[in-house]
Amino acid sequence: MRLEEAKKKLAATLPALKGISKEEEFEHDREDPEQRFEEREIRKVADHLYSLIYSIEYLQKPIQASGRVIKRSDGRYEIEGAEDYFTSGSPLEIWDESQEIYARTRIEHDGEDYFAVGIKQPLEGLQARCR
């Protein structure tokens, strides 16, 4: 199957996946251990569905900017030449030279500077892209 075909098929599943919200309340008899068990298991499935929905929607987004990460004079980071800058929680893809693939991460702040979660290198100078 071609990647584009797989992306289209995944996108087509979104309406069905969104049928159960992660915040939804499931009515059940709280005194019945079996119903409590089933409610907990359904909640786990709903959490996984939420992750799937996020990933499928993320893949549908076009790449907005690609290039080297630079530090601005205000201490925030951006992709060189891009209009937007990163704040805590901003999604970002960092090029992993050892695996020759982009790795999805997010930006956070540790009280002193911004960093990419799971990336042990300073942000400045890294090859990155954002959607």
Side-chain angles (χ1 to χ4, degrees), residues 42-113:
I42 290 170
R43 175 108 15 243
K44 287 180 191 177
V45 170
D47 287 344
H48 287 294
L49 287 175
Y50 180 80
S51 295
L52 287 172
I53 291 166
Y54 178 84
S55 293
I56 292 169
E57 289 178 339
Y58 183 84
L59 286 172
Q60 303 304 313
K61 296 177 182 179
I63 295 167
Q64 299 292 326
S66 181
R68 295 276 171 210
V69 176
I70 59 170
K71 190 170 188 175
R72 298 163 22 130
S73 60
D74 64 1
R76 295 184 189 267
Y77 290 86
E78 68 181 19
I79 292 176
E80 193 169 24
E83 296 178 18
D84 295 326
Y85 56 86
F86 306 119
T87 59
S88 291
S90 294
L92 185 67
E93 298 169 18
I94 302 286
W95 180 252
D96 182 340
E97 192 66 45
S98 66
Q99 296 187 23
E100 297 184 335
I101 191 170
Y102 279 97
R104 189 171 73 179
T105 184
R106 72 180 186 282
I107 300 300
E108 293 298 341
H109 197 278
D110 63 8
E112 293 181 26
D113 200 6

Side-chain angles (χ1 to χ4, degrees), residues 1-10:
M1 179 182 311
R2 301 187 61 82
L3 280 176
E4 287 305 314
E5 183 182 351
K7 283 173 56 176
K8 285 180 184 176
K9 285 185 175 187
L10 286 172

